[in-house]
């Protein structure tokens, strides 16, 4: 007997003794990655409204660091650390930007002349640049492993995982952006 998961993606009887964790791990990575992305994307969207000119420069700095990291350092970081560790580090490094934004948004004096904002944005952008490279590598490896576990083609496994990732990613990004609007405007909740 086999269980149908996605059209012809099946776990066969011959694999019933092997407990596949690939799909669970991929869903967990998708949830964490999407939450991380949605959080810093919401901060970038709010930066100019909350921090004015400093917020605009902070967003620009984040994107410049992101582009530089993506073009010139991401492959090296992923190859040096490994896919999983690069994903973890990239998400933590993004948290530097989010943490600074939270602090500066709740107390504008923290933003000061903007130097701290630019440094935090550069650090966060650097992490954002290589986290996408790591995610792509993780996706490819997970799809290959899942294809072996479920005895299906790599194309079917890629399509299945693309569906999982896109659904979680888009849902979390929209929810986090809407949540920032609802908490600030509709419920009249202050920043912190």
């Amino acid at each position: 007997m086999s269980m149908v998961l996605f059209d012809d993606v099946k776990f066969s009887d011959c694999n019933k003794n092997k407990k596949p964790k690939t799909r669970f791990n991929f869903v967990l990575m998708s949830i964490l990655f999407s939450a991380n992305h949605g959080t810093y994307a919401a901060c970038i969207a709010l930066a100019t409204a909350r921090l004015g000119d400093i917020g605009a420069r902070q967003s620009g700095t984040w994107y410049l660091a992101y582009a530089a990291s993506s073009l010139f350092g991401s492959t090296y970081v992923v190859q040096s650390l490994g896919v999983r560790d690069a994903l973890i580090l990239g998400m933590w490094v993004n948290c530097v930007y989010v943490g600074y934004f939270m602090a500066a948004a709740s107390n504008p004096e923290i933003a000061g002349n903007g130097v701290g904002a630019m440094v935090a944005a550069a650090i966060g952008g650097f992490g954002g640049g290589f986290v996408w490279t790591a995610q792509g590598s993780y996706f490819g490896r997970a799809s290959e492993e899942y294809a072996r576990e479920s005895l299906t083609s790599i194309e079917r496994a890629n399509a299945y995982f693309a569906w999982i990732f896109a659904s979680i990613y888009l849902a979390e990004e929209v929810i986090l952006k809407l949540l920032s609007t609802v908490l600030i405007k509709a419920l009249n909740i202050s920043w912190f």
Side-chain angles (χ1 to χ4, degrees), residues 30-31 33-35 37-38 132 162-178:
S30 297
I31 291 168
F33 181 91
S34 300
H37 175 78
W132 277 101
W163 172 77
I164 291 171
F165 182 79
S167 299
I168 292 170
Y169 176 80
L170 293 173
E172 277 195 65
E173 184 170 359
V174 168
I175 288 168
L176 287 169
K177 284 184 177 179
L178 287 173

Side-chain angles (χ1 to χ4, degrees), residues 100-123:
Y100 184 87
F101 178 81
M102 286 174 39
S106 63
N107 183 359
E109 291 179 13
I110 291 174
N113 64 3
V115 173
M118 300 317 123
V119 170
I123 292 169

Side-chain angles (χ1 to χ4, degrees), residues 57-164:
R57 287 185 284 144
Q58 184 182 32
S59 294
T61 301
W62 190 93
Y63 280 113
L64 286 173
Y66 171 82
S69 172
S70 296
L71 293 172
F72 303 116
S74 61
T75 303
Y76 175 78
V77 171
V78 173
Q79 286 178 347
S80 297
L81 297 177
V83 173
R84 185 196 66 152
D85 290 344
L87 263 172
I88 292 168
L89 180 63
M91 286 191 248
W92 275 109
V93 169
N94 268 323
C95 291
V96 171
Y97 168 72
V98 173
Y100 184 87
F101 178 81
M102 286 174 39
S106 63
N107 183 359
E109 291 179 13
I110 291 174
N113 64 3
V115 173
M118 300 317 123
V119 170
I123 292 169
F126 175 73
F130 67 81
V131 78
W132 277 101
T133 301
Q135 184 275 338
S137 295
Y138 186 92
F139 183 104
R141 291 180 184 180
S143 292
E144 289 173 6
E145 179 70 21
Y146 185 78
R148 279 192 300 275
E149 288 174 354
S150 62
L151 303 177
T152 192
S153 69
I154 189 71
E155 293 81 12
R156 298 299 286 170
N158 279 336
Y160 181 52
F161 276 18
W163 172 77
I164 291 171

Side-chain angles (χ1 to χ4, degrees), residues 1-13 23 146 150:
M1 179 175 301
S2 60
M3 181 173 72
V4 176
L5 297 171
F6 184 74
D7 285 341
D8 67 347
V9 178
K10 302 172 186 172
F11 286 103
S12 170
D13 283 339
R23 183 177 53 171
Y146 185 78
S150 62

